[in-house]
Protein backbone atom coordinates (compact mmCIF):
# COMPACT_ATOMS: atom_id res chain seq x y z
CA UNK A 1 0.00 0.00 0.00
CA UNK A 2 1.31 3.44 -0.88
CA UNK A 3 1.83 5.44 2.27
CA UNK A 4 -0.40 8.54 2.48
CA UNK A 5 1.41 11.85 2.93
CA UNK A 6 1.27 13.24 6.42
CA UNK A 7 2.75 16.33 8.00
CA UNK A 8 3.84 14.35 11.05
CA UNK A 9 7.60 14.01 10.89
CA UNK A 10 8.25 12.86 14.44
CA UNK A 11 6.16 11.96 17.42
CA UNK A 12 5.75 14.77 19.95
CA UNK A 13 7.19 14.05 23.35
CA UNK A 14 4.20 13.18 25.56
CA UNK A 15 3.91 14.19 29.18
CA UNK A 16 5.39 11.56 31.50
CA UNK A 17 3.00 9.09 33.05
CA UNK A 18 3.67 6.69 35.89
CA UNK A 19 6.99 4.95 35.62
CA UNK A 20 7.24 1.37 34.42
CA UNK A 21 6.85 0.32 38.01
CA UNK A 22 3.45 1.41 39.17
CA UNK A 23 3.36 3.81 42.07
CA UNK A 24 3.32 2.28 45.51
CA UNK A 25 0.92 3.37 48.21
CA UNK A 26 2.72 1.44 50.89
CA UNK A 27 5.41 -1.10 51.41
CA UNK A 28 5.15 -2.99 48.17
CA UNK A 29 6.33 -6.37 47.13
CA UNK A 30 6.58 -7.59 43.58
CA UNK A 31 3.07 -7.92 42.20
CA UNK A 32 1.24 -11.00 41.08
CA UNK A 33 -0.40 -10.80 37.66
CA UNK A 34 -2.57 -13.58 36.28
CA UNK A 35 -5.73 -13.54 34.14
CA UNK A 36 -7.67 -13.93 37.40
CA UNK A 37 -5.75 -11.78 39.89
CA UNK A 38 -3.73 -8.58 39.93
CA UNK A 39 -2.15 -7.62 43.23
CA UNK A 40 0.88 -5.85 44.61
CA UNK A 41 3.28 -3.53 42.84
CA UNK A 42 3.43 -4.14 39.09
CA UNK A 43 6.73 -3.60 37.30
CA UNK A 44 5.48 -3.38 33.73
CA UNK A 45 8.83 -3.70 31.98
CA UNK A 46 9.75 -6.72 34.05
CA UNK A 47 6.31 -8.25 33.42
CA UNK A 48 6.68 -7.71 29.68
CA UNK A 49 10.07 -9.42 29.73
CA UNK A 50 8.73 -12.26 31.85
CA UNK A 51 5.93 -12.84 29.36
CA UNK A 52 8.34 -12.58 26.41
CA UNK A 53 6.57 -9.66 24.71
CA UNK A 54 8.24 -6.81 22.82
CA UNK A 55 8.04 -3.06 23.56
CA UNK A 56 5.99 -0.80 21.32
CA UNK A 57 8.74 1.47 20.01
CA UNK A 58 8.58 5.08 18.75
CA UNK A 59 9.56 3.74 15.33
CA UNK A 60 6.47 1.53 15.25
CA UNK A 61 4.25 4.46 16.20
CA UNK A 62 5.78 6.58 13.46
CA UNK A 63 5.12 3.75 11.02
CA UNK A 64 1.42 3.74 12.01
CA UNK A 65 1.26 7.46 11.24
CA UNK A 66 3.04 7.06 7.91
CA UNK A 67 0.78 4.20 6.81
CA UNK A 68 -2.52 5.68 7.92
CA UNK A 69 -1.95 9.41 7.64
CA UNK A 70 -3.41 9.81 11.14
CA UNK A 71 -1.79 10.68 14.47
CA UNK A 72 -1.46 7.75 16.83
CA UNK A 73 -3.83 7.46 19.77
CA UNK A 74 -2.64 9.33 22.85
CA UNK A 75 -2.60 6.06 24.82
CA UNK A 76 0.05 4.80 22.41
CA UNK A 77 2.02 8.06 22.60
CA UNK A 78 1.98 7.95 26.40
CA UNK A 79 2.94 4.30 26.69
CA UNK A 80 -0.34 3.21 28.26
CA UNK A 81 -0.44 0.57 25.54
CA UNK A 82 3.19 -0.36 25.76
CA UNK A 83 4.02 -3.84 24.50
CA UNK A 84 3.08 -6.19 21.69
CA UNK A 85 3.38 -9.52 19.97
CA UNK A 86 3.74 -9.55 16.16
CA UNK A 87 2.24 -6.08 15.71
CA UNK A 88 4.69 -5.40 12.88
CA UNK A 89 3.04 -8.26 10.99
CA UNK A 90 -0.28 -6.41 11.22
CA UNK A 91 1.33 -3.25 9.88
CA UNK A 92 2.89 -5.32 7.08
CA UNK A 93 -0.54 -6.72 6.23
CA UNK A 94 -2.06 -3.23 6.12
CA UNK A 95 0.77 -1.89 3.99
CA UNK A 96 0.40 -4.73 1.48
CA UNK A 97 -3.43 -4.67 1.46
CA UNK A 98 -3.79 -8.04 3.16
CA UNK A 99 -6.88 -8.41 5.37
CA UNK A 100 -6.81 -8.72 9.13
CA UNK A 101 -9.41 -8.37 11.85
CA UNK A 102 -9.71 -7.25 15.46
CA UNK A 103 -10.76 -9.40 18.38
CA UNK A 104 -11.57 -8.27 21.91
CA UNK A 105 -14.03 -9.27 24.59
CA UNK A 106 -15.63 -8.86 27.97
CA UNK A 107 -16.39 -11.18 30.86
CA UNK A 108 -19.83 -9.99 32.04
CA UNK A 109 -19.97 -10.18 35.83
CA UNK A 110 -21.75 -6.94 36.76
CA UNK A 111 -24.75 -4.87 35.68
CA UNK A 112 -22.65 -1.86 34.78
CA UNK A 113 -19.23 -1.48 33.27
CA UNK A 114 -16.68 0.91 34.75
CA UNK A 115 -14.12 3.25 33.19
CA UNK A 116 -11.42 0.61 33.23
CA UNK A 117 -13.59 -1.65 31.07
CA UNK A 118 -13.75 1.11 28.46
CA UNK A 119 -10.00 1.14 27.84
CA UNK A 120 -9.67 -1.90 25.51
CA UNK A 121 -12.92 -1.02 23.74
CA UNK A 122 -11.97 2.60 23.07
CA UNK A 123 -8.58 1.51 21.77
CA UNK A 124 -10.29 -1.13 19.63
CA UNK A 125 -12.64 1.50 18.23
CA UNK A 126 -9.67 3.69 17.31
CA UNK A 127 -8.00 0.73 15.60
CA UNK A 128 -11.19 -0.12 13.69
CA UNK A 129 -11.66 3.50 12.59
CA UNK A 130 -8.00 3.85 11.64
CA UNK A 131 -7.52 0.58 9.74
CA UNK A 132 -11.16 0.03 8.61
CA UNK A 133 -11.28 -3.66 9.49
CA UNK A 134 -13.81 -6.17 10.86
CA UNK A 135 -14.14 -6.66 14.61
CA UNK A 136 -15.40 -9.59 16.68
CA UNK A 137 -16.33 -9.14 20.35
CA UNK A 138 -16.64 -12.20 22.57
CA UNK A 139 -18.91 -12.02 25.64
CA UNK A 140 -17.68 -14.83 27.88
CA UNK A 141 -20.83 -15.58 29.85
CA UNK A 142 -19.62 -19.18 30.17
CA UNK A 143 -16.40 -18.04 31.85
CA UNK A 144 -18.23 -16.00 34.48
CA UNK A 145 -20.56 -18.92 35.19
CA UNK A 146 -17.49 -21.04 35.94
CA UNK A 147 -15.64 -18.44 38.03
CA UNK A 148 -18.39 -16.48 39.77
CA UNK A 149 -21.28 -17.42 42.04
CA UNK A 150 -23.85 -16.63 39.34
CA UNK A 151 -26.41 -18.71 37.49
CA UNK A 152 -25.88 -19.33 33.80
CA UNK A 153 -29.06 -17.40 33.02
CA UNK A 154 -27.80 -14.41 35.01
CA UNK A 155 -24.44 -14.48 33.21
CA UNK A 156 -26.21 -14.45 29.85
CA UNK A 157 -28.44 -11.57 30.93
CA UNK A 158 -25.38 -9.59 32.02
CA UNK A 159 -23.77 -10.31 28.66
CA UNK A 160 -26.73 -8.65 26.94
CA UNK A 161 -26.68 -5.69 29.35
CA UNK A 162 -22.95 -5.16 28.89
CA UNK A 163 -23.26 -5.52 25.13
CA UNK A 164 -25.34 -2.34 25.02
CA UNK A 165 -22.60 -0.41 26.81
CA UNK A 166 -20.06 -1.82 24.37
CA UNK A 167 -22.16 -0.93 21.33
CA UNK A 168 -22.45 2.61 22.71
CA UNK A 169 -18.69 3.01 22.18
CA UNK A 170 -19.54 3.63 18.53
CA UNK A 171 -18.15 0.68 16.56
CA UNK A 172 -18.93 0.38 12.87
CA UNK A 173 -22.15 -1.71 12.90
CA UNK A 174 -21.45 -3.03 9.41
CA UNK A 175 -18.08 -4.45 10.46
CA UNK A 176 -18.72 -5.55 14.06
CA UNK A 177 -19.98 -8.91 15.32
CA UNK A 178 -20.71 -9.23 19.05
CA UNK A 179 -21.69 -12.59 20.50
CA UNK A 180 -22.18 -14.48 23.75
CA UNK A 181 -20.35 -17.79 23.94
CA UNK A 182 -23.48 -19.70 24.98
CA UNK A 183 -25.26 -18.45 21.85
CA UNK A 184 -22.42 -18.89 19.35
CA UNK A 185 -20.66 -21.96 20.72
CA UNK A 186 -21.71 -24.15 17.80
CA UNK A 187 -19.61 -22.16 15.34
CA UNK A 188 -16.67 -21.95 17.75
CA UNK A 189 -16.71 -25.60 18.72
CA UNK A 190 -14.74 -27.12 15.80
CA UNK A 191 -11.79 -24.84 16.57
CA UNK A 192 -12.23 -25.35 20.31
CA UNK A 193 -11.82 -29.08 19.75
CA UNK A 194 -8.76 -28.64 17.53
CA UNK A 195 -7.12 -26.36 20.07
CA UNK A 196 -7.98 -28.66 22.95
CA UNK A 197 -6.25 -31.58 21.28
CA UNK A 198 -3.03 -29.54 21.01
CA UNK A 199 -2.78 -28.49 24.66
CA UNK A 200 -1.96 -30.84 27.53
CA UNK A 201 -2.99 -30.78 31.17
CA UNK A 202 0.57 -29.95 32.16
CA UNK A 203 0.62 -26.95 29.85
CA UNK A 204 -2.68 -25.61 31.23
CA UNK A 205 -1.49 -26.14 34.78
CA UNK A 206 1.77 -24.35 34.05
CA UNK A 207 0.14 -21.40 32.28
CA UNK A 208 -2.91 -20.84 34.47
CA UNK A 209 -2.06 -22.54 37.76
CA UNK A 210 -5.22 -24.65 37.88
CA UNK A 211 -5.36 -27.40 40.48
CA UNK A 212 -7.14 -30.69 40.84
CA UNK A 213 -9.91 -29.08 42.88
CA UNK A 214 -10.84 -26.66 40.07
CA UNK A 215 -13.91 -27.36 37.93
CA UNK A 216 -13.07 -29.15 34.70
CA UNK A 217 -14.83 -26.30 32.90
CA UNK A 218 -12.02 -23.97 33.98
CA UNK A 219 -9.44 -26.30 32.46
CA UNK A 220 -11.37 -26.32 29.19
CA UNK A 221 -12.19 -22.62 28.98
CA UNK A 222 -8.83 -21.35 27.57
CA UNK A 223 -9.64 -23.11 24.29
CA UNK A 224 -12.90 -21.15 24.12
CA UNK A 225 -11.13 -17.81 24.56
CA UNK A 226 -8.51 -18.85 22.01
CA UNK A 227 -10.96 -19.91 19.27
CA UNK A 228 -11.98 -16.39 18.06
CA UNK A 229 -8.30 -15.81 17.19
CA UNK A 230 -8.84 -17.98 14.10
CA UNK A 231 -10.91 -16.75 11.13
CA UNK A 232 -12.70 -20.04 10.50
CA UNK A 233 -14.55 -19.47 13.78
CA UNK A 234 -16.55 -16.89 11.80
CA UNK A 235 -17.53 -18.52 8.51
CA UNK A 236 -20.29 -15.93 7.94
CA UNK A 237 -17.58 -13.25 7.85
CA UNK A 238 -14.45 -14.91 6.47
CA UNK A 239 -15.76 -18.09 4.85
CA UNK A 240 -13.15 -20.85 4.99
CA UNK A 241 -10.11 -18.60 4.76
CA UNK A 242 -7.29 -19.53 7.10
CA UNK A 243 -4.83 -16.81 6.01
CA UNK A 244 -6.37 -13.86 7.88
CA UNK A 245 -4.53 -12.75 11.00
CA UNK A 246 -6.17 -11.11 14.00
CA UNK A 247 -5.03 -8.32 16.31
CA UNK A 248 -6.07 -8.43 19.97
CA UNK A 249 -5.94 -5.26 22.11
CA UNK A 250 -6.04 -6.32 25.76
CA UNK A 251 -4.65 -5.68 29.22
CA UNK A 252 -1.40 -7.52 29.77
CA UNK A 253 -2.98 -9.89 32.32
CA UNK A 254 -4.80 -11.60 29.43
CA UNK A 255 -1.56 -12.46 27.62
CA UNK A 256 -1.30 -16.05 28.97
CA UNK A 257 -4.40 -17.08 27.03
CA UNK A 258 -2.84 -15.93 23.80
CA UNK A 259 0.64 -17.26 24.46
CA UNK A 260 -1.10 -20.63 24.49
CA UNK A 261 -3.01 -19.69 21.32
CA UNK A 262 0.13 -18.58 19.50
CA UNK A 263 1.80 -21.87 20.33
CA UNK A 264 -1.10 -23.81 18.84
CA UNK A 265 -1.80 -21.66 15.78
CA UNK A 266 0.94 -22.93 13.38
CA UNK A 267 0.05 -26.54 14.13
CA UNK A 268 -3.51 -25.83 13.01
CA UNK A 269 -2.49 -23.90 9.90
CA UNK A 270 -3.34 -20.40 11.19
CA UNK A 271 -1.40 -17.20 11.70
CA UNK A 272 -0.40 -16.47 15.26
CA UNK A 273 -2.65 -13.75 16.67
CA UNK A 274 -0.96 -10.39 17.22
CA UNK A 275 -1.48 -8.46 20.45
CA UNK A 276 -0.99 -5.01 21.91
CA UNK A 277 -0.98 -4.84 25.70
CA UNK A 278 -2.21 -2.08 27.97
CA UNK A 279 -1.21 -1.24 31.48
CA UNK A 280 -3.94 -1.50 34.09
CA UNK A 281 -6.45 1.23 34.78
CA UNK A 282 -5.95 1.70 38.52
CA UNK A 283 -8.53 1.51 41.25
CA UNK A 284 -9.36 4.74 43.04
CA UNK A 285 -7.46 3.57 46.10
CA UNK A 286 -4.10 3.36 44.35
CA UNK A 287 -1.97 2.11 41.49
CA UNK A 288 -1.29 -1.33 42.90
CA UNK A 289 -4.47 -2.85 41.49
CA UNK A 290 -6.84 -2.45 38.60
CA UNK A 291 -10.46 -1.38 38.98
CA UNK A 292 -12.87 -4.09 40.08
CA UNK A 293 -16.51 -4.40 39.14
CA UNK A 294 -17.02 -6.25 42.41
CA UNK A 295 -16.42 -3.17 44.60
CA UNK A 296 -18.33 0.06 44.00
CA UNK A 297 -15.85 2.30 45.81
CA UNK A 298 -12.89 1.20 43.69
CA UNK A 299 -14.45 2.23 40.40
CA UNK A 300 -16.28 4.95 38.50
CA UNK A 301 -19.16 3.27 36.69
CA UNK A 302 -20.70 4.24 33.39
CA UNK A 303 -24.06 4.45 35.19
CA UNK A 304 -22.83 6.82 37.92
CA UNK A 305 -24.53 10.17 38.37
CA UNK A 306 -22.50 13.41 38.33
CA UNK A 307 -22.81 13.55 42.12
CA UNK A 308 -21.55 9.98 42.51
CA UNK A 309 -18.56 10.70 40.26
CA UNK A 310 -17.70 13.80 42.26
CA UNK A 311 -18.02 12.02 45.60
CA UNK A 312 -15.91 9.05 44.49
CA UNK A 313 -13.05 11.20 43.20
CA UNK A 314 -13.05 13.57 46.15
CA UNK A 315 -13.38 10.91 48.84
CA UNK A 316 -11.66 7.83 47.44
CA UNK A 317 -9.09 8.83 44.78
CA UNK A 318 -5.67 8.29 46.32
CA UNK A 319 -3.69 11.52 46.36
CA UNK A 320 0.00 12.15 45.82
CA UNK A 321 -0.45 15.61 47.28
CA UNK A 322 0.85 16.69 50.68
CA UNK A 323 -1.13 16.85 53.90
CA UNK A 324 -1.11 20.64 54.16
CA UNK A 325 -1.07 23.56 51.74
CA UNK A 326 2.30 24.66 53.11
CA UNK A 327 3.90 21.25 52.52
CA UNK A 328 2.31 21.03 49.07
CA UNK A 329 3.83 24.39 48.12
CA UNK A 330 7.22 23.37 49.52
CA UNK A 331 7.47 19.79 48.28
CA UNK A 332 4.94 19.45 45.48
CA UNK A 333 2.93 16.33 44.71
CA UNK A 334 4.06 12.85 43.72
CA UNK A 335 2.29 12.48 40.38
CA UNK A 336 3.48 8.90 39.98
CA UNK A 337 1.16 7.70 42.75
CA UNK A 338 -1.63 10.26 42.38
CA UNK A 339 -4.66 8.46 40.97
CA UNK A 340 -6.41 11.62 39.75
CA UNK A 341 -3.37 12.61 37.71
CA UNK A 342 -3.03 9.08 36.35
CA UNK A 343 -6.68 9.15 35.27
CA UNK A 344 -5.93 12.36 33.39
CA UNK A 345 -3.21 10.52 31.46
CA UNK A 346 -5.98 8.29 30.14
CA UNK A 347 -8.75 10.80 29.52
CA UNK A 348 -7.16 14.22 28.93
CA UNK A 349 -6.09 14.07 25.29
CA UNK A 350 -4.24 17.42 25.13
CA UNK A 351 -0.56 16.68 25.75
CA UNK A 352 0.32 20.30 26.38
CA UNK A 353 -2.42 20.75 28.97
CA UNK A 354 -1.50 17.49 30.69
CA UNK A 355 2.12 18.62 30.91
CA UNK A 356 1.06 22.01 32.30
CA UNK A 357 -1.00 20.29 35.01
CA UNK A 358 1.87 17.93 35.82
CA UNK A 359 4.34 20.77 36.24
CA UNK A 360 1.95 22.86 38.32
CA UNK A 361 0.95 19.98 40.59
CA UNK A 362 4.42 18.51 40.95
CA UNK A 363 5.86 21.97 41.55
CA UNK A 364 3.44 22.75 44.37
CA UNK A 365 1.59 25.49 42.52
CA UNK A 366 -1.61 23.43 42.19
CA UNK A 367 -3.55 21.93 45.07
CA UNK A 368 -5.07 18.42 45.03
CA UNK A 369 -8.59 19.87 45.13
CA UNK A 370 -7.96 21.78 41.89
CA UNK A 371 -6.55 18.70 40.17
CA UNK A 372 -9.49 16.58 41.29
CA UNK A 373 -11.99 19.16 40.02
CA UNK A 374 -10.34 19.09 36.59
CA UNK A 375 -10.69 15.32 36.51
CA UNK A 376 -14.26 15.37 37.81
CA UNK A 377 -15.39 17.67 35.00
CA UNK A 378 -13.76 15.47 32.36
CA UNK A 379 -15.22 12.24 33.76
CA UNK A 380 -18.70 13.76 34.09
CA UNK A 381 -18.62 14.65 30.39
CA UNK A 382 -17.35 11.21 29.32
CA UNK A 383 -19.90 9.31 31.40
CA UNK A 384 -22.80 11.59 30.43
CA UNK A 385 -21.98 11.20 26.74
CA UNK A 386 -21.79 7.44 27.11
CA UNK A 387 -25.13 7.36 28.91
CA UNK A 388 -26.77 9.26 26.05
CA UNK A 389 -25.42 6.78 23.51
CA UNK A 390 -26.50 3.87 25.71
CA UNK A 391 -30.04 5.22 25.69
CA UNK A 392 -29.97 5.29 21.89
CA UNK A 393 -28.73 1.69 21.89
CA UNK A 394 -31.60 0.59 24.16
CA UNK A 395 -34.16 2.21 21.84
CA UNK A 396 -32.43 0.71 18.80
CA UNK A 397 -32.38 -2.69 20.51
CA UNK A 398 -36.04 -2.72 21.44
CA UNK A 399 -37.04 -1.60 17.98
CA UNK A 400 -35.61 -4.93 16.93
CA UNK A 401 -32.48 -3.74 15.13
CA UNK A 402 -30.15 -5.40 17.60
CA UNK A 403 -31.85 -8.78 17.84
Amino acid sequence: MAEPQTQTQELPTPPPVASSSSGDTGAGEEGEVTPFLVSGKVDYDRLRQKFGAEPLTPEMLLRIERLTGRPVHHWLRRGLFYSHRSFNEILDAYEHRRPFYLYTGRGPSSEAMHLGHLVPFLMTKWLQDTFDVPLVIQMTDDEKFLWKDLTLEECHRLAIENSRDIIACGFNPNKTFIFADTDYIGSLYPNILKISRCVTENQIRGIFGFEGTDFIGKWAFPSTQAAPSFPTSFPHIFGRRVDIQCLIPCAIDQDPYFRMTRDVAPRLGFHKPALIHSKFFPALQGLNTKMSASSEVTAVYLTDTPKQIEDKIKRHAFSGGRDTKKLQEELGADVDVDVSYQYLTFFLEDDAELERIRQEYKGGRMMTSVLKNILINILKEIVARHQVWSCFVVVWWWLGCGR
Side-chain angles (χ1 to χ4, degrees), residues 195-394:
I195 295 164
S196 297
R197 201 169 74 169
C198 292
V199 184
T200 67
E201 175 190 350
N202 286 338
Q203 288 174 307
I204 291 292
R205 188 190 302 273
I207 295 171
F208 299 102
F210 296 151
E211 299 178 352
T213 55
D214 285 308
F215 301 130
I216 60 171
K218 292 184 178 182
W219 292 77
F221 176 74
S223 295
T224 304
Q225 184 155 320
S229 304
F230 303 145
T232 53
S233 293
F234 307 99
H236 63 293
I237 302 174
F238 304 115
R240 297 182 178 179
R241 292 189 64 170
V242 299
D243 60 338
I244 302 176
Q245 194 169 13
C246 86
L247 170 63
I248 305 167
C250 62
I252 193 160
D253 62 334
Q254 296 300 298
D255 184 78
Y257 282 108
F258 301 111
R259 292 205 307 274
M260 181 200 78
T261 309
R262 285 169 57 86
D263 180 65
V264 167
R267 287 184 275 168
L268 298 179
F270 297 110
H271 286 290
K272 294 182 178 181
L275 293 91
I276 55 172
H277 302 120
S278 74
K279 298 176 181 179
F280 302 125
F281 191 80
L284 290 170
Q285 284 74 11
L287 302 184
N288 285 350
T289 59
K290 61 179 182 178
M291 274 192 173
S292 169
S294 304
S295 176
E296 290 188 6
V297 298
T298 68
V300 175
Y301 287 88
L302 299 178
T303 53
D304 280 350
T305 65
K307 182 65 166 57
Q308 287 174 316
I309 294 171
E310 183 172 349
D311 287 347
K312 286 181 177 182
I313 299 301
K314 286 184 175 180
R315 294 181 182 180
H316 299 293
F318 184 84
S319 173
R322 307 302 171 176
D323 291 338
T324 67
K325 180 179 179 182
K326 181 180 179 181
L327 286 175
Q328 175 69 9
E329 290 174 343
E330 290 177 357
L331 303 175
D334 185 348
V335 296
D336 283 346
V337 303
D338 192 281
V339 167
S340 296
Y341 176 77
Q342 293 304 319
Y343 280 20
L344 288 176
T345 67
F346 280 88
F347 294 117
L348 178 57
E349 296 186 21
D350 188 326
D351 285 343
E353 177 64 6
L354 182 64
E355 175 63 11
R356 183 193 71 80
I357 291 170
R358 189 183 77 89
Q359 293 290 353
E360 292 288 304
Y361 192 43
K362 188 175 182 180
R365 296 179 295 278
M366 178 182 289
M367 297 297 110
T368 299
S369 60
V370 175
L371 178 77
K372 286 191 172 185
N373 282 330
I374 293 171
L375 174 65
I376 288 166
N377 290 332
I378 291 173
L379 295 187
K380 284 180 178 178
E381 180 181 348
I382 290 171
V383 171
R385 183 170 61 242
H386 191 88
Q387 289 172 355
V388 169
W389 280 109
S390 293
C391 288
F392 281 122
V393 171
V394 170

Side-chain angles (χ1 to χ4, degrees), residues 35 39 80-81 104 120 145 156 166 193 212 218 326 345 385 399:
S39 65
L80 298 171
F81 276 78
T104 191
F145 173 66
H156 189 265
I166 292 168
L193 284 176
K218 292 184 178 182
K326 181 180 179 181
T345 67
R385 183 170 61 242
L399 287 173

